[in-house]
């Protein structure tokens, strides 16, 4: 699609009347045995400039190039407000989303796994219903449980909840009922939806598991686990420091751990990494080539050894300490893979003969399990993060990667690592549009539960889009909500006490009567 910046002005685009005149002229010329190539151009061959998202949302395409008068804004005082209609809803998309989750068996699984947390003959809001309520809350764009106060006035949301929205105190108490086993079960359920789409990929294809951490600054002195961390951007700020693990091919989450703000990445995260790799391997199949990509925090012997023992490949950005920088600067066997306009080498790669002290342990003595060190130096500003200059008077910047893939081309592996950058906007989406940094409780375990529920909601929304509206797979959460969830409608009781939901005309995937 041609961008608006390159679009011609209105005077450069012929109008429909001009084409009719040209076609008549062409008919006269053809009757005389001549051709008019300009008149043979039809409006269908003109470039079309429109916003695809407006069409999906049911909006009218702009036609300013066909108008001769200026548009005048309507006076809002001429619009009269009628009687309130208690049957109007702004979340009609919850019907299609909820029906899809019901078909997947999400409601049944939630009841089976977590209903034991609330028992007794006086129980009104069972835990399975409460968790489905929170999933609907988060898919609508609310960040905290307090958002129930606004949605309690929507008739469709209330009906889907069972006829009444529970009080805030009830919902706050419910997320505090989870202990370690239940949190583990919820994390496994979230990850199962994250790997569900991998079964459609071709056998033997590459699958990438990206691992990253993020800082969630918090406000409040009584929040459990809110400790000052080591990130210089949030120096001295109480925060959480969760780990997020995604599958790059589906952009879904296959593992997550909430940690206090004063923790760092290292051997303590091995259980979460191993579980994520095993889940991805089971879903992708034994023939898939699985890579685990981590930033420089993964330059840890224990982490690399754990990934290697699971039969997977790691691709890690190396820490540029003095020993490694000395080995790179002394290398004289560089392979040029790209040139600039003047024919000078602009990008070069090399395998560096280097080993850290921790790599001499037993599991790394075998030549087939040797850690391969790949260095890349470039004249162009294509490096992410801190740029290291090792050669005096040279424009080259250097960076290095660690891997146990000893067969693939060095430049291919270096470029493959660049795909890990996709986890950064995904975490940004989690913060901006799912509010993972907005906590609802002083309890650490309760905040862990809400984090997992938000990531669970993201995975369910991605699976819903992949199966019901695959042409929207590249859209981010705010636009997906506008197209699929935040749809106005009206509930009507039809004949036979059948409840019917009327919606404005939308795109082809919106259910209609």
């Amino acid at each position: 699609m041609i961008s608006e910046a390159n679009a011609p002005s209105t005077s450069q685009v012929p109008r429909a009347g001009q084409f009719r005149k040209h076609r008549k002229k062409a008919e006269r010329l053809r009757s005389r045995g001549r051709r008019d190539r300009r008149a043979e151009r039809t409006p269908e061959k003109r470039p079309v400039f429109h916003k695809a998202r407006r069409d999906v949302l049911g909006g009218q395409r702009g036609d300013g190039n066909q108008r001769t008068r200026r548009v005048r804004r309507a006076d809002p005082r001429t619009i009269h407000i009628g009687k309130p209609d208690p049957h109007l809803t702004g979340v009609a998309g919850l019907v299609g989303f909820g029906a899809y989750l019901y078909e997947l068996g999400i409601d049944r699984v939630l009841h089976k796994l977590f209903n034991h947390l609330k028992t007794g003959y006086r129980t009104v809001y069972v835990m399975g219903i409460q968790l489905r309520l929170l999933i609907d809350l988060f898919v609508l764009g609310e960040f905290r449980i307090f958002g129930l106060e606004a949605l309690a006035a929507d008739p469709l949301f209330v009906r889907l909840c069972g006829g009444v929205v529970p009080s805030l105190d009830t919902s706050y108490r419910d997320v505090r009922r989870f202990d370690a086993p239940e949190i583990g079960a919820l994390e496994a359920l979230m990850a199962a939806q994250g790997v569900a789409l991998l079964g459609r990929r071709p056998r033997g294809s590459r699958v990438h598991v990206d691992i990253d951490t993020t800082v969630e600054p918090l406000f409040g002195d009584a929040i459990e686990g809110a400790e000052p961390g080591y990130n210089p951007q949030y120096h001295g700020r109480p925060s959480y420091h969760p780990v997020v693990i995604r599958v790059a091919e589906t952009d879904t989450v296959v593992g997550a751990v909430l940690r206090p703000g004063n923790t760092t990445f290292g051997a303590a995260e091995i259980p979460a990494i191993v579980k994520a790799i095993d889940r991805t391997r089971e879903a992708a199949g034994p023939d898939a080539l699985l890579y685990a990509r981590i930033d420089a925090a993964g330059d840890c012997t224990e982490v690399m050894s754990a990934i290697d023992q699971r039969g997977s490949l790691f691709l890690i950005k190396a820490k540029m300490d003095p020993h490694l920088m000395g080995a790179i600067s002394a290398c004289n066997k560089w392979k040029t893979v790209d040139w600039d306009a003047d024919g000078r080498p602009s990008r070069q790669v090399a395998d560096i003969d280097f080993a850290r002290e921790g790599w001499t342990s037993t599991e790394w003595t075998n030549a087939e399990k040797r850690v391969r060190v790949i260095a890349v130096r470039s004249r162009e500003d294509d490096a992410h993060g801190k740029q290291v200059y090792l050669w005096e008077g040279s424009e080259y910047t250097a960076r290095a990667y660690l891997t146990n893939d000893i067969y693939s081309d060095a430049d291919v592996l270096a470029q493959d690592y660049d795909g890990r950058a996709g986890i950064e906007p995904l975490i940004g989406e989690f913060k901006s549009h799912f509010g993972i940094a907005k906590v609802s409780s002083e309890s650490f375990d309760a905040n862990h539960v809400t984090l997992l529920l938000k990531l669970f909601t993201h995975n369910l929304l991605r699976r819903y889009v992949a199966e019901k509206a695959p042409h929207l797979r590249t859209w981010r959460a705010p636009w997906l909500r506008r197209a699929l969830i935040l749809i106005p409608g009206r509930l009507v009781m039809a004949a036979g006490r059948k409840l019917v939901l009327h919606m404005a005309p939308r795109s082809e995937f919106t259910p209609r009567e």
Side-chain angles (χ1 to χ4, degrees), residues 362-372 404 406-407:
T362 338
E363 63 266 23
W364 296 110
T365 53
N366 190 339
E368 295 180 356
K369 291 188 176 182
R370 174 176 173 271
V371 179
R372 182 184 180 188
N404 56 342
I406 61 175
Y407 300 106

Side-chain angles (χ1 to χ4, degrees), residues 62-188:
D63 59 352
N65 60 331
Q66 300 178 11
R67 294 177 179 265
T68 57
R69 296 183 181 181
R70 291 184 178 180
V71 174
R72 296 184 61 183
R73 184 173 176 83
D75 186 352
R77 296 173 297 177
T78 62
I79 302 175
H80 302 282
I81 299 178
K83 296 181 180 180
D85 190 341
H87 305 292
L88 295 178
T89 176
V91 295
L94 283 181
V95 174
F97 181 69
Y100 176 73
L101 298 194
Y102 192 86
E103 294 172 358
L104 288 180
I106 300 300
D107 297 66
R108 176 179 52 81
V109 172
L110 290 175
H111 283 281
K112 180 180 178 180
L113 292 178
F114 305 110
N115 271 4
H116 69 276
L117 295 176
K118 294 180 71 175
T119 58
Y121 70 95
R122 298 189 61 181
T123 300
V124 177
Y125 305 102
V126 297
M127 186 59 73
I129 292 178
Q130 290 292 83
L131 294 179
R132 275 295 287 115
L133 167 71
L134 295 179
I135 290 174
D136 285 348
L137 179 73
F138 295 142
V139 80
L140 290 173
E142 295 292 340
F143 294 168
R144 293 185 172 95
I145 295 176
F146 189 78
L148 290 173
E149 292 294 281
L151 292 170
D154 191 286
L156 178 59
F157 185 83
V158 173
R159 186 173 185 86
L160 292 174
C161 291
V164 61
V165 176
S167 66
L168 293 179
D169 292 338
T170 300
S171 300
Y172 286 135
R173 285 195 299 267
D174 286 344
V175 296
R176 295 172 68 97
R177 297 176 185 269
F178 282 70
D179 293 327
E182 288 76 22
I183 291 176
L186 181 59
E187 196 263 352

